[in-house]
Amino acid sequence: MSGDQVHNDSQIDTGSRVNDSHRHRDKHKDKEHKHKDHKKDKEREKSKHSNSEHKDFSEKKHRDKDKLKHKDGSSEKHKHKDKEKRKEFKVKSPSQEDKVKKEKENGFSSPPRIKAEPDSDDYCFSPKHEKSLKRERDDDDTEFKPKKIKTEDEKKAKKRKQEDEDIKPKKKTKDKDKKEGAADGKKKGKKEPEEKWKWWEEERYTDGVKWKFLEHKGPVFAPPYEPLPGNVKFYYDGKTMKLSSQAEEVATFFAKMLDHEYTTKDIFRKNFFKDWRKEMTPEEKSIITDLNKCNFTEMHEYFKAQSEAKKQMTKEEKQQIKEENERILQEYGYCVMDNHKERIANFRIEPPGLFRGRGDHPKMGMLKRRIRPEDIIINCSKDSKVPKPPPGTKWKEVRHDNKVTWLVSWTENIQGSIKYIMLNPSSRIKGEKDWQKYETARRLKKCVDRIRNQYREDWKSKEMKIRQRAVALYFIDKLALRAGNEKEEGETADTVGCCSLRVEHIKLHPELDGQEFMVEFDFLGKDSIRYYNKVPVEKRVFKNLQLFMENKQPEDDLFDRLNTSILNKHLQELMDGLTAKVFRTYNASITLQQQLKELTTPDENIPAKILSYNRANRAVAILCNHQRAPPKTFEKSMQNLQSKIDAKKDQLSDARRELKSAKADAKVRRDEKSKKAVESKKKAVQRIEEQLMKLEVQATDREENKQIALGTSKLNYLDPRISVAWCKKWGVPVEKIYNKTQREKFAWAIDMADDDFEF
DNA sequence: CGGGGGACTTAGAAAAACTGCT
DNA sequence: AGCAGTTTTTCTAAGTCCCCCG
């Protein structure tokens, strides 16, 4: 952990980093000039500049010189094709695999080190289970009731428990009833008393198998299109025009978005119009030739009125809708996987609409078409009840693939990618993976010093490729950059990650703001969020960057001999399971842990502790560049808070004044009653002071959080056990840190982390 | 070995739900 | 009760990484 400090210092700060240019849709627009042929350019560049590249690597010349050689070089690592080891859960050849798997922490093979409990040993599997898939769907080994046993769960460990509440997959049958949801109608009041299934105390599948039994009801489709009432007109070129249902539907998509800025964007309009015309009848097509002559305002008004009306609905009506939703949730929102009822994340098929990518997306405005049953692939187990397609339709395919976790998939028409319906984060299948992710990051912690030393050595390598790899890895480690896969030109917004950085994305300053060897980063990352940062780097890195940039055009790749696949292959050799993103997880979690240590003051009250927690969380969010648009109501809400604070201050001075006079009074009168009065005034002052403090803390927290999004890191990067341990250590209720959903997702951590957990 | 497909994680915005007033 | 403000949930785009194929 000591080794981390070095890094952490630089990682934390970054006050300068978040700037107000939240998302730069346009910023790079001009330079976005034809990267079209960028890829080819790159090749060209390589040969063109090959000389310069070599000058430093004299004896390597022949090696680097021509691409052929170059390729050989890379093929070295290629031989490690036997990433079998990585594939721990894959079907393995029994022999060599065994030793490998030993190392696996939550790795689905070795006895889970879970609570590191001494007594859990006897529960370690005897080798024989080993390849057997545990978790048969023995419908009834219910016997055992996992009670709350926290510490002495030795016993629980040995047997697999089965939650009483979980259903018996077999018998569940067609109870479409489910009115129970509606029955005890009173919102959250429902009973939820059942014991939760502790999947983390069970054995895991060791081979690629993800489940043995899977049954579900299939997806919920988007409601069919309801044509507009006759009085809502569309006008073309000033004249009213009745559209065919098909064309009208697409028109409504546009009409609904009318007050969005992007309906004014050229690309959006162009893409929309093109796709809209495809939906028109030949007549419509011949008439409607110019989007600018289309008038959607009546439609737009109509939808506004609709949503207004919806808000005005009576309580009863709203309640009814709510109940209907609950019914659908009960019917379609759950599946049975291996004896347990699990929540599905997104059981509704995405409705049709106009695609809006993030940032400057070349496909914005295109029509996202309606998904029909014929587009849907169902995945479930052979012995389950296969979901029925809506009457008169069929599924595209029903398959039974238990090597994947999805229940439903379809191909989306904008990018041609596959979309899935999968389980909720609270499910076993997601939770195990999440847990495993943090275990991998903790393994990195054990060898990160070695890896850092190695890449520092590699900065001096004679091979260009290795130097590039080493510098890129340094950025990934120090700055928590994403790997940066290459993307297809023209298919998506122009964003980059580490390996895909271009020369134009960094500036070198031999000296800046009084510091030497500064690198200024400015690029659009995932979701077109701008990354802007000025960092001092080591001299060697700086020199290398100069070298990499020599004789290149701004639009050339900075690391022209590197890509994520090369990098990850290398990482895989350094540590089993290591990939670029593990560094983000590791650095995020270790930063949280270290910041919590640093910021928590033992005798502070709970609100102050929570502020410290949020600050630690914030340090991570800044490191990972998790930004958000400042809430529209931010200024106002800040003002409100401030006036609350002012009011509270007034109240406080009033209370103090009263206390004073009560004291004086007591001094004079010296009776019991006045003494009591003093006491109560004192209490009041104290109470108000506390309230004031709370408000002030809140204000600070909010201000500091203006454009920082904490959620992403909390949900995806911070080992929840660190937070849970911190809560336990300082007596902060875990609900203060995690809301209900989050507690469900992190149930495993809440259950297993003690106050002394160390990442 | 490079390109593409596939599966799964990570991401911020928007919608919906909730809360605490007045 | 209606709201304004805040928090939670939903939504789905956009990444990562692996595998397979030719």
Side-chain angles (χ1 to χ4, degrees):
Chain A
M1 153 118 46
S2 46
D4 305 320
Q5 310 307 48
V6 187
H7 266 63
N8 284 339
D9 292 344
S10 39
Q11 283 168 348
I12 292 313
D13 132 52
T14 53
S16 64
R17 183 92 143 275
V18 175
N19 52 36
D20 31 21
S21 41
H22 175 55
R23 180 177 291 173
H24 275 216
R25 305 200 153 104
D26 300 325
K27 148 136 211 197
H28 296 262
K29 151 181 327 164
D30 312 24
K31 0 167 84 164
E32 99 182 324
H33 47 197
K34 317 319 89 150
H35 285 307
K36 301 259 172 243
D37 11 62
H38 183 212
K39 292 275 124 84
K40 299 130 213 182
D41 280 347
K42 176 164 160 180
E43 289 306 351
R44 228 180 295 131
E45 284 301 320
K46 271 182 198 158
S47 21
K48 172 156 77 184
H49 302 309
S50 49
N51 298 335
S52 51
E53 283 168 356
H54 297 304
K55 67 170 178 236
D56 255 19
F57 312 111
S58 30
E59 8 95 83
K60 266 321 179 197
K61 258 178 200 138
H62 37 310
R63 182 174 317 185
D64 279 343
K65 186 66 165 228
D66 55 61
K67 302 200 241 176
L68 281 183
K69 296 309 189 58
H70 170 48
K71 298 202 163 142
D72 298 344
S74 40
S75 69
E76 300 173 338
K77 50 199 39 164
H78 178 60
K79 63 162 77 118
H80 288 275
K81 202 354 180 233
D82 65 301
K83 50 201 5 175
E84 279 319 321
K85 37 216 245 210
R86 163 133 198 72
K87 258 322 20 183
E88 17 179 320
F89 339 113
K90 270 313 199 193
V91 190
K92 63 265 307 290
S93 67
S95 52
Q96 26 89 275
E97 282 304 348
D98 289 13
K99 57 197 63 160
V100 180
K101 60 176 28 159
K102 288 318 184 348
E103 316 301 313
K104 280 335 176 291
E105 50 313 270
N106 167 34
F108 296 62
S109 25
S110 58
R113 240 342 343 167
I114 317 212
K115 291 190 102 189
E117 228 124 67
D119 24 56
S120 50
D121 301 357
D122 54 355
Y123 125 77
C124 290
F125 344 138
S126 30
K128 52 169 167 187
H129 305 171
E130 172 125 84
K131 80 325 235 21
S132 82
L133 326 175
K134 347 297 191 122
R135 219 195 282 278
E136 315 290 346
R137 31 184 232 92
D138 31 357
D139 300 12
D140 12 39
D141 60 346
T142 355
E143 36 90 338
F144 163 165
K145 173 74 283 61
K147 241 25 206 228
K148 280 277 90 133
I149 320 128
K150 186 53 205 245
T151 16
E152 73 295 53
D153 33 2
E154 58 290 50
K155 64 272 297 321
K156 56 197 340 182
K158 347 190 135 150
K159 46 282 230 63
R160 73 238 266 108
K161 44 246 48 224
Q162 159 131 4
E163 154 153 38
D164 27 356
E165 120 169 299
D166 74 276
I167 34 186
K168 318 339 207 159
K170 265 28 250 304
K171 42 232 57 215
K172 90 159 300 165
T173 74
K174 78 259 316 10
D175 48 346
K176 56 260 319 339
D177 53 2
K178 245 42 196 187
K179 30 223 50 191
E180 54 101 344
D184 51 353
K186 247 48 267 189
K187 29 186 66 216
K188 48 191 35 263
K190 344 189 105 120
K191 36 69 158 309
E192 193 75 358
E194 322 291 345
E195 285 292 331
K196 288 288 184 237
W197 172 39
K198 298 189 178 183
W199 52 259
W200 50 95
E201 290 173 352
E202 299 198 11
E203 300 174 13
R204 296 174 281 282
Y205 291 123
T206 56
D207 41 15
V209 170
K210 303 290 171 51
W211 46 262
K212 294 254 93 176
F213 180 81
L214 172 60
E215 180 169 282
H216 59 91
K217 293 299 206 58
V220 173
F221 288 93
Y225 177 63
E226 288 183 27
L228 293 170
N231 61 330
V232 180
K233 305 275 207 279
F234 165 73
Y235 300 91
Y236 185 73
D237 205 8
K239 292 185 286 283
T240 172
M241 178 173 176
K242 173 74 182 154
L243 296 172
S244 65
S245 178
Q246 294 233 330
E248 183 187 270
E249 178 177 11
V250 178
T252 64
F253 297 153
F254 192 84
K256 282 177 183 165
M257 303 172 105
L258 233 42
D259 27 64
H260 242 109
E261 181 211 359
Y262 43 71
T263 54
T264 64
K265 297 202 171 183
D266 253 23
I267 308 182
F268 189 95
R269 296 174 67 86
K270 196 175 117 276
N271 286 334
F272 161 71
F273 196 56
K274 183 163 164 234
D275 281 2
W276 186 28
R277 282 177 55 82
K278 289 182 201 154
E279 302 299 313
M280 294 177 187
T281 62
E283 302 75 49
E284 288 166 339
K285 219 165 174 167
S286 69
I287 299 172
I288 303 174
T289 54
D290 181 359
L291 181 55
N292 295 311
K293 293 183 178 163
C294 295
N295 180 344
F296 301 95
T297 48
E298 269 191 30
M299 291 164 61
H300 181 66
E301 294 305 320
Y302 170 72
F303 291 119
K304 274 218 293 233
Q306 289 280 292
S307 72
E308 207 42 49
K310 206 172 153 199
K311 272 189 262 178
Q312 299 311 319
M313 286 187 310
T314 69
K315 262 238 263 300
E316 292 69 36
E317 292 169 313
K318 284 181 179 167
Q319 182 60 26
Q320 187 149 13
I321 291 178
K322 207 169 160 184
E323 280 169 17
E324 170 64 6
N325 280 116
E326 178 64 21
R327 213 207 80 231
I328 295 177
L329 172 68
Q330 289 304 323
E331 177 164 7
Y332 293 96
Y334 295 85
C335 71
V336 177
M337 184 176 277
D338 293 349
N339 281 182
H340 294 275
K341 184 173 170 184
E342 302 247 47
R343 186 85 133 69
I344 298 170
N346 54 324
F347 55 90
R348 289 172 201 275
I349 299 280
E350 297 172 19
L354 302 185
F355 176 82
R356 172 51 173 143
R358 322 233 192 173
D360 253 329
H361 197 116
K363 299 194 171 184
M364 66 170 84
M366 284 176 61
L367 174 63
K368 203 168 92 155
R369 63 157 233 287
R370 178 178 292 273
I371 303 302
R372 308 149 306 153
E374 291 73 18
D375 302 314
I376 295 289
I377 301 175
I378 296 288
N379 193 34
C380 61
S381 53
K382 283 206 183 81
D383 53 349
S384 75
K385 279 191 353 225
V386 177
K388 285 207 266 300
T393 67
K394 337 193 276 205
W395 303 124
K396 176 181 184 184
E397 181 190 338
V398 174
R399 68 172 72 157
H400 309 290
D401 181 356
N402 72 350
K403 300 284 206 289
V404 298
T405 67
W406 53 268
L407 321 186
V408 171
S409 75
W410 70 93
T411 301
E412 153 269 346
N413 69 302
I414 304 289
Q415 318 275 359
S417 64
I418 307 172
K419 301 266 191 161
Y420 303 93
I421 291 182
M422 293 182 183
L423 298 193
N424 200 65
S426 62
S427 62
R428 177 215 114 220
I429 209 148
K430 294 292 183 189
E432 275 179 356
K433 199 84 185 298
D434 204 38
W435 178 16
Q436 188 194 202
K437 170 182 77 186
Y438 292 112
E439 290 307 319
T440 305
R442 292 174 83 197
R443 274 191 299 128
L444 172 57
K445 179 186 175 185
K446 293 189 199 134
C447 61
V448 71
D449 288 338
R450 188 189 93 223
I451 290 171
R452 285 172 177 162
N453 288 335
Q454 153 122 224
Y455 67 60
R456 300 167 63 86
E457 272 310 300
D458 287 346
W459 292 340
K460 301 181 264 186
S461 168
K462 287 175 282 182
E463 261 189 275
M464 182 57 125
K465 213 169 69 186
I466 292 181
R467 286 202 191 199
Q468 292 194 354
R469 196 181 68 194
V471 171
L473 185 50
Y474 170 71
F475 286 162
I476 284 171
D477 182 21
K478 182 185 174 71
L479 305 174
L481 300 190
R482 296 187 182 82
N485 285 314
E486 47 266 73
K487 316 169 64 187
E488 218 175 317
E489 194 78 36
E491 295 294 295
T492 61
D494 177 24
T495 62
V496 298
C498 186
C499 294
S500 50
L501 280 170
R502 299 191 295 262
V503 168
E504 61 194 331
H505 295 132
I506 66 171
K507 267 195 211 133
L508 302 184
H509 304 280
E511 129 126 61
L512 180 69
D513 308 330
Q515 287 179 284
E516 281 193 305
F517 308 125
M518 296 288 281
V519 183
E520 184 178 355
F521 292 83
D522 191 353
F523 61 89
L524 298 185
K526 181 177 178 179
D527 291 328
S528 292
I529 298 291
R530 184 187 186 196
Y531 183 95
Y532 181 80
N533 199 4
K534 290 186 248 185
V535 278
V537 301
E538 307 206 23
K539 178 169 180 183
R540 252 204 183 92
V541 169
F542 196 86
K543 295 292 175 200
N544 271 315
L545 290 170
Q546 287 178 323
L547 179 69
F548 302 159
M549 293 166 76
E550 245 168 42
N551 296 314
K552 284 189 191 168
Q553 301 301 306
E555 65 275 19
D556 290 338
D557 284 352
L558 176 62
F559 301 115
D560 54 293
R561 308 231 160 155
L562 184 68
N563 61 37
T564 54
S565 146
I566 294 172
L567 178 64
N568 280 335
K569 270 177 195 148
H570 172 64
L571 293 176
Q572 178 57 42
E573 286 165 11
L574 298 180
M575 185 192 101
D576 183 38
L578 186 60
T579 63
K581 88 192 208 23
V582 178
F583 282 89
R584 254 169 98 80
T585 310
Y586 161 71
N587 279 125
S589 286
I590 201 74
T591 298
L592 178 75
Q593 183 168 83
Q594 173 254 331
Q595 286 287 293
L596 283 176
K597 230 169 243 175
E598 201 171 305
L599 297 175
T600 310
T601 322
D603 36 321
E604 282 172 332
N605 59 16
I606 302 238
K609 289 238 172 59
I610 292 169
L611 174 62
S612 299
Y613 180 88
N614 286 144
R615 282 181 161 158
N617 192 163
R618 199 138 48 231
V620 175
I622 289 169
L623 172 66
C624 295
N625 199 227
H626 293 143
Q627 295 183 240
R628 62 167 182 178
K632 280 176 271 306
T633 58
F634 186 83
E635 290 311 327
K636 179 138 48 95
S637 110
M638 241 14 238
Q639 253 172 317
N640 290 161
L641 235 193
Q642 192 54 51
S643 45
K644 265 193 189 168
I645 288 175
D646 292 342
K648 194 55 79 180
K649 278 181 176 162
D650 290 348
Q651 197 187 341
L652 180 59
S653 52
D654 285 353
R656 282 188 171 137
R657 204 172 312 117
E658 283 181 38
L659 171 60
K660 213 168 184 174
S661 75
K663 270 183 179 163
D665 190 43
K667 208 160 187 173
V668 178
R669 312 229 264 188
R670 301 188 164 280
D671 63 352
E672 266 314 302
K673 191 166 163 218
S674 58
K675 231 157 78 193
K676 274 244 176 71
V678 171
E679 279 315 302
S680 81
K681 298 285 181 206
K682 210 179 256 176
K683 283 259 167 60
V685 168
Q686 258 170 22
R687 207 182 54 235
I688 295 168
E689 273 174 341
E690 204 157 290
Q691 289 167 343
L692 174 60
M693 175 33 200
K694 212 164 155 179
L695 286 174
E696 281 174 332
V697 160
Q698 204 186 340
T700 312
D701 206 18
R702 190 177 299 176
E703 182 67 52
E704 289 176 356
N705 229 24
K706 182 170 180 182
Q707 341 176 219
I708 300 182
L710 300 187
T712 301
S713 48
K714 198 183 219 175
L715 239 46
N716 300 299
Y717 288 102
L718 301 177
D719 187 330
R721 290 167 297 183
I722 298 170
S723 301
V724 170
W726 179 86
C727 283
K728 289 186 176 163
K729 178 164 179 188
W730 301 107
V732 177
V734 77
E735 303 79 51
K736 301 279 187 188
I737 297 299
Y738 291 136
N739 69 28
K740 175 155 154 290
T741 315
Q742 295 168 157
R743 291 197 300 277
E744 280 167 6
K745 169 168 180 176
F746 297 133
W748 58 275
I750 293 171
D751 183 58
M752 77 171 75
D754 294 320
D755 62 353
D756 58 350
F757 173 82
E758 277 269 330
F759 177 77

